[in-house]
Amino acid sequence: MTDNGQVKIRTERLNLHYGAFHALKDVDMAVPPRMITSIIGPSGCGKSTLLRCLNRMNDLIGTARVTGRILLDGKDILAGGTAMTSLRRRVGMVFQRPNPFPLSVFDNVSYGPRVHGELDRRRLAGIVESALRATGLWETLKDRLNEHALSLSPEQQQRLCISRLVAVEPEVLLMDEPCSALDPIATGHVEDLMKNLAQNYTIVIVTHNMQQAARVSDVTAFMYLGRLIESGPTKDIFVKPKEKQTEDYITGRFG
Amino acid sequence: MRILLEREIDRLKKLILGMSAEVESEVHTACNALLQRDDKTAQALIDDVDKVDTMELDVEEECLKILALHQPVAADLRYIVSVMKINRDLERISDIAVHMAERTLKIFAEPDLLLPAQLSDMSVRVQAMLKKVLDAFVRLDVEAARNVCMADSEVDTLNREVLRQVKEGVLRKPEQFDALLQVMHVSRHLERIADHATNIAEDLIYMVEGRIVRHSPEVSDKG
């Protein structure tokens, strides 16, 4: 997958059915650590479904049935006995629309650590500061920590949601169209943030915006009709894809 | 989106093909003027120097526009990038054809000079290489492009043979030195046109296969 062949997450023969609908078909994908992997493909190809498998968000959908393996650092997260709270701390998700809690900035960021048992006010303040620094919000918000999160701009709200994840020290960040509700300037800022975060975190992003995948990701995976058609270094996918279906999609011949 | 990009690419294709035809005809004219001792044709070519330059600018502007407005990827990206490079090679070939015409007029100043026989052979081969690579470009024919790369070494050999004869000529008839020097330059010009034709062939292979074959002796044999 990458030059040194390291893998943070690997899916093996991953299949998912929503009732009778076969949404993921034998997906074998490798996600390298501390890089950005983007998943692209036309609407309904299964890319968001695949992303949601990576921290078992699909468990919340009653009709979803998953088979195969998803190895996080070599350990199957689909196996019985996987602790969901711990899994979702290690693998966090950012959604399409910023979804801060209707609480203050401080309470949004400290929410996760408190759930995980951190109650010391001074330590929480330290966590909030470093999480806000990680997303570039600290300088703007350090004097506004008690302000209501919903009063922030959309870009700040999305950064806050990322801070909220960072506060629980995850290993993997899943992002589902994280910039689709943002204007081009804010999108540029969030993409820059993603690049910085990738030095410490493994990022998997689903995006409809192919230029965004080309700009920010190290690895690109193309999905079509529930299958992973091709995955490889982004520069290869966008200059010389191996599969005709990939070529046809990225050049706008279908999809 | 795709339809708009295709329209732009079609337009670009027409421009670059028009330019190819013009450059091919200029080389043909330059070779004929030399071999048939036709100074009027040579002069006409020199006078018409701006035509291809204008075409080159049009092609370049069109490529930049497509890159900026459509952000092409994969085969589309390789096509635009290759056309930009081929555009440059065609413009260089056109310049060389004009230089050949200028040298030709100087050669005619020495009416008794006998042109080396290899020069005629070279001009036939170089024109054939150029025609073949431009046809290959239209048909995206990678095999034909590879053959053009291979043919380059034959032109190099002929060029060396002409240089040998020029040296002999200078020793035999030193009074023809100036004209013989021009013959040497013309031979070198033909050899350079073959090099540019080879560049175009290499760009064509990249365009189709996505593989950069420059500097790899097994595919291109450029001297």
Side-chain angles (χ1 to χ4, degrees):
Chain A
M1 171 58 48
T2 55
D3 290 347
N4 59 18
Q6 286 181 23
V7 175
K8 180 71 185 175
I9 303 176
R10 184 189 297 284
T11 68
E12 290 177 356
R13 291 187 68 82
L14 185 66
N15 281 273
L16 185 142
H17 291 81
Y18 292 123
F21 178 62
H22 197 174
L24 295 180
K25 297 170 185 164
D26 291 329
V27 174
D28 291 320
M29 185 171 81
V31 175
R34 288 182 299 284
M35 285 194 189
I36 303 177
T37 299
S38 62
I39 309 174
I40 59 170
S43 299
C45 71
K47 55 190 189 299
S48 290
T49 299
L50 175 60
L51 191 77
R52 285 199 300 268
C53 282
L54 303 182
N55 72 347
R56 290 186 55 177
M57 294 279 280
N58 290 315
D59 287 15
L60 305 173
I61 300 166
T63 55
R65 189 164 48 82
V66 185
T67 61
R69 302 210 301 165
I70 302 174
L71 304 172
L72 175 62
D73 286 334
K75 210 160 169 260
D76 187 6
I77 63 165
L78 296 178
T82 301
M84 284 302 123
T85 323
S86 151
L87 172 64
R88 295 203 180 122
R89 187 188 63 72
R90 293 177 67 194
V91 185
M93 185 171 290
V94 179
F95 297 88
Q96 204 164 349
R97 298 202 156 269
N99 57 348
F101 302 134
L103 301 169
S104 71
V105 169
F106 187 92
D107 287 345
N108 261 279
V109 183
S110 61
Y111 193 92
R114 272 185 297 180
V115 166
H116 290 286
E118 181 56 76
L119 298 171
D120 182 273
R121 187 78 193 171
R122 198 181 315 161
R123 276 204 295 271
L124 281 175
I127 292 171
V128 169
E129 177 176 342
S130 64
L132 289 175
R133 280 192 191 282
T135 61
L137 280 179
W138 177 250
E139 289 305 319
T140 327
L141 297 186
K142 64 183 174 191
D143 301 320
R144 297 162 58 191
L145 296 177
N146 292 322
E147 218 166 276
H148 201 279
L150 296 175
S151 68
L152 304 178
S153 74
E155 180 194 339
Q156 287 172 331
Q157 289 189 19
Q158 195 60 305
R159 281 172 184 265
L160 184 69
C161 293
I162 298 171
S163 304
R164 195 171 58 187
L165 286 185
V166 169
V168 296
E169 297 178 346
E171 296 159 39
V172 181
L173 303 178
L174 307 177
M175 300 186 170
D176 194 352
E177 296 271 359
C179 299
S180 63
L182 304 180
D183 68 33
I185 304 283
T187 297
H189 292 156
V190 172
E191 287 176 358
D192 189 38
L193 170 62
M194 286 164 64
K195 279 285 190 196
N196 287 331
L197 290 171
Q199 291 169 14
N200 299 311
Y201 306 98
T202 300
I203 297 179
V204 186
I205 170 178
V206 159
T207 178
H208 263 116
N209 181 337
M210 261 183 298
Q211 263 78 41
Q212 179 170 60
R215 276 193 304 268
V216 303
S217 61
D218 304 288
V219 173
T220 296
F222 168 61
M223 289 190 67
Y224 185 55
L225 298 177
R227 289 188 191 282
L228 179 72
I229 303 297
E230 184 174 355
S231 169
T234 299
K235 68 174 170 56
D236 293 348
I237 298 282
F238 283 94
V239 176
K240 176 66 185 159
K242 289 194 182 75
E243 302 296 328
K244 187 172 183 311
Q245 282 175 316
T246 315
E247 169 101 32
D248 286 350
Y249 179 69
I250 63 174
T251 56
R253 285 185 170 80
F254 78 86
Chain B
M1 241 162 57
R2 178 75 213 162
I3 296 166
L4 294 180
L5 174 59
E6 261 166 24
R7 237 180 253 158
E8 298 281 7
I9 288 180
D10 279 348
R11 221 176 96 76
L12 177 64
K13 222 173 252 178
K14 283 196 188 95
L15 284 177
I16 191 86
L17 292 183
M19 184 172 168
S20 304
E22 182 60 31
V23 169
E24 202 182 329
S25 139
E26 285 187 0
V27 171
H28 181 71
T29 306
C31 290
N32 275 0
L34 171 72
L35 298 172
Q36 294 169 9
R37 294 190 162 265
D38 179 351
D39 55 354
K40 278 202 191 73
T41 307
Q43 189 59 52
L45 187 56
I46 294 165
D47 294 340
D48 206 10
V49 68
D50 293 339
K51 199 168 178 182
V52 170
D53 289 353
T54 314
M55 289 173 146
E56 186 215 2
L57 293 179
D58 288 348
V59 169
E60 185 167 331
E61 274 173 19
E62 204 60 29
C63 288
L64 290 172
K65 191 180 86 186
I66 294 175
L67 287 175
L69 304 187
H70 296 273
Q71 291 126 35
V73 295
D76 299 329
L77 175 67
R78 299 199 308 274
Y79 183 80
I80 306 297
V81 169
S82 303
V83 164
M84 287 183 85
K85 297 171 85 173
I86 290 169
N87 186 36
R88 186 97 187 98
D89 278 307
L90 287 173
E91 189 271 338
R92 290 298 305 138
I93 294 175
S94 165
D95 278 355
I96 293 172
V98 174
H99 292 326
M100 273 179 70
E102 289 164 352
R103 308 269 183 207
T104 295
L105 292 181
K106 290 179 182 161
I107 291 171
F108 294 166
E110 183 62 67
D112 298 335
L113 181 83
L114 275 179
L115 291 175
Q118 285 82 358
L119 217 47
S120 159
D121 194 3
M122 248 181 121
S123 91
V124 170
R125 281 172 194 262
V126 167
Q127 288 183 76
M129 276 175 79
L130 188 60
K131 181 173 168 35
K132 199 166 184 180
V133 79
L134 295 176
D135 286 350
F137 175 54
V138 175
R139 297 193 314 270
L140 301 180
D141 182 345
V142 174
E143 267 325 294
R146 283 206 178 84
N147 290 337
V148 169
C149 294
M150 308 298 251
D152 190 42
S153 61
E154 296 160 15
V155 173
D156 291 340
T157 308
L158 286 168
N159 181 40
R160 281 193 291 273
E161 182 55 29
V162 172
L163 293 191
R164 199 183 58 76
Q165 294 205 18
V166 166
K167 271 185 210 162
E168 281 179 16
V170 170
L171 293 174
R172 231 180 15 251
K173 294 187 175 169
E175 69 280 8
Q176 289 186 340
F177 178 81
D178 283 343
L180 283 164
L181 200 60
Q182 301 306 325
V183 170
M184 186 189 84
H185 279 306
V186 165
S187 175
R188 173 82 183 133
H189 288 330
L190 284 168
E191 189 265 336
R192 287 301 297 153
I193 292 176
D195 284 349
H196 286 292
T198 307
N199 290 349
I200 295 174
E202 289 165 348
D203 288 333
L204 176 58
I205 294 170
Y206 172 72
M207 182 194 289
V208 176
E209 295 183 346
R211 227 156 40 85
I212 297 174
V213 297
R214 271 197 326 278
H215 317 306
S216 44
E218 70 277 11
V219 191
S220 79
D221 191 16
K222 201 164 61 168

